[in-house]
Amino acid sequence: MAEKKKPATSRAKRGAEVAETKTTRGGTFQASPEAKSTALKLRIVAMVLWVIAIGVEIFTIVWALLPDKPVNTWLIIGLIVLIAVLTLSGSLLWKKANRYDPASEKDKVRFFVQNQLGVIMTILAFLPLIVLIFLDKNMDGKQKGILGAVAIAVALVVGVFSYDKDAPSVEQYSVEANVVKELTGKDEVYWTKNGTAFHVCAQVPDLSRSTDIQSGSVSQAHEAGIPRLTKKWVSEATRNCGYTTEDVDRVLGSVDDVSRTLDEGQAVEESGTLEVAPEVADEDPADTDDTVPSGVEEPAVATP
């Protein structure tokens, strides 16, 4: 039976301290004047589209539902679709604006409203219409069922696409920028057009298959629609990008949330405290392959 190694605690302690500090030691992200200007323009257009959508909703209610006359099913469906297009277009533009100029998580109410305003506007654009469809006295049960079902289905689709499940924040941008600058010495990351994360160097496996690798700052990556720094940055830094474990250790002492900078499964909770897993703390920087060379004894794995 292999002798258990005593868990190295330097990374774990640093990771725990970093997770508990809740401060960004490397600086707080601030959107550039250009980014703020772009975000403002996008938000203005989004608000205009939402106002028009609500105007179409009011028109539909006042002109097509409330008067004592037969209701044209296809006309109402067409107006519902128009409301959906206007509302969703506004929501997508608003979400894009938040990538340029994110809110802070410190103000939880503002953070929620700013990031989920598209959902709120979807409710305002559809809920009164849906209620009045079912209360309308000029329609029979079948017509109410058809129009009500269409309106609810369309509203749900718009609401799902308006919801921002990867809502950006000042804190996230700050952590990611500080990680990258501390590790590489500059605010530069790499991604592909349809990627789901950006990376600290261009030599990582996730980018090696692409012929269209883009680069820029952390904020530019978010502006391009890339939601986050890869969760594999720790292993990529040492395995693919030429950085050492000491380089990674230095980074873990400069960011405010270790769970945002480690791979899946590399952060563990011990007695209510978030720490770097012991096997990560013991990681040998020279071990860059998944297999152990022939003739070399495989080291014992530290027990968490």
Side-chain angles (χ1 to χ4, degrees):
M1 182 176 178
E3 182 180 354
K4 293 183 179 179
K5 293 171 60 179
K6 183 179 179 180
T9 59
S10 59
R11 289 181 105 191
K13 285 184 176 179
R14 258 179 281 188
E17 291 170 357
V18 164
E20 292 174 346
T21 301
K22 300 300 180 186
T23 59
T24 307
R25 304 175 192 173
T28 301
F29 169 81
Q30 290 185 338
S32 67
E34 295 79 8
K36 285 182 175 291
S37 176
T38 300
L40 178 60
K41 292 176 183 177
L42 291 171
R43 285 172 178 147
I44 290 174
V45 176
M47 292 298 292
V48 169
L49 291 172
W50 283 334
V51 169
I52 296 174
I54 293 177
V56 175
E57 177 194 27
I58 294 172
F59 171 80
T60 304
I61 293 171
V62 173
W63 181 77
L65 291 179
L66 291 184
D68 188 13
K69 63 179 182 180
V71 175
N72 187 321
T73 301
W74 288 108
L75 175 61
I76 300 297
I77 291 176
L79 291 171
I80 289 172
V81 172
L82 178 58
I83 294 170
V85 171
L86 291 168
T87 305
L88 181 57
S89 297
S91 296
L92 294 179
L93 289 176
W94 189 269
K95 287 168 68 174
K96 185 174 180 62
N98 290 337
R99 266 61 188 169
Y100 284 88
D101 185 20
S104 172
E105 295 178 9
K106 293 179 180 179
D107 187 341
K108 295 187 182 301
V109 174
R110 180 182 175 182
F111 181 76
F112 173 80
V113 171
Q114 178 169 320
N115 285 293
Q116 308 306 337
L117 188 58
V119 177
I120 296 172
M121 297 307 296
T122 299
I123 294 172
L124 292 177
F126 282 97
L127 185 58
L129 179 60
I130 292 171
V131 171
L132 287 174
I133 285 175
F134 286 109
L135 294 178
D136 191 272
K137 298 178 179 179
N138 301 316
M139 291 188 287
D140 56 30
K142 181 179 180 181
Q143 198 173 21
K144 288 182 180 181
I146 293 173
L147 290 177
V150 170
I152 291 172
V154 171
L156 288 175
V157 171
V158 174
V160 168
F161 283 97
S162 298
Y163 176 71
D164 198 342
K165 64 182 180 65
D166 294 313
S169 69
V170 168
E171 289 74 18
Q172 177 192 354
Y173 283 26
S174 300
V175 169
E176 292 172 341
N178 292 336
V179 165
V180 173
K181 287 187 287 187
E182 185 71 19
L183 181 68
T184 70
K186 55 185 177 180
D187 183 7
E188 185 174 18
V189 292
Y190 302 83
W191 68 90
T192 58
K193 183 177 180 180
N194 297 316
T196 57
F198 49 86
H199 307 262
V200 295
C201 76
Q203 291 73 39
V204 300
D206 287 350
L207 300 180
S208 62
R209 295 180 293 275
S210 175
T211 57
D212 184 25
I213 299 175
Q214 302 178 31
S215 63
S217 66
V218 167
S219 61
Q220 288 173 330
H222 282 288
E223 291 166 11
I226 311 301
R228 61 176 175 81
L229 173 66
T230 176
K231 293 181 179 180
K232 299 183 291 185
W233 78 268
V234 170
S235 58
E236 287 183 349
T238 55
R239 292 176 182 272
N240 308 112
C241 302
Y243 298 104
T244 66
T245 300
E246 288 73 20
D247 293 327
V248 175
D249 284 347
R250 186 179 65 250
V251 175
L252 289 178
S254 300
V255 298
D256 69 347
D257 188 347
V258 70
S259 66
R260 292 186 183 179
T261 61
L262 292 176
D263 296 4
E264 293 283 3
Q266 290 187 330
V268 296
E269 187 171 341
E270 295 288 345
S271 302
T273 301
L274 192 66
E275 298 185 0
V276 180
E279 60 266 28
V280 179
D282 291 340
E283 183 182 16
D284 183 358
D287 181 17
T288 57
D289 296 320
D290 293 330
T291 58
V292 179
S294 177
V296 178
E297 183 180 358
E298 183 175 358
V301 178
T303 302

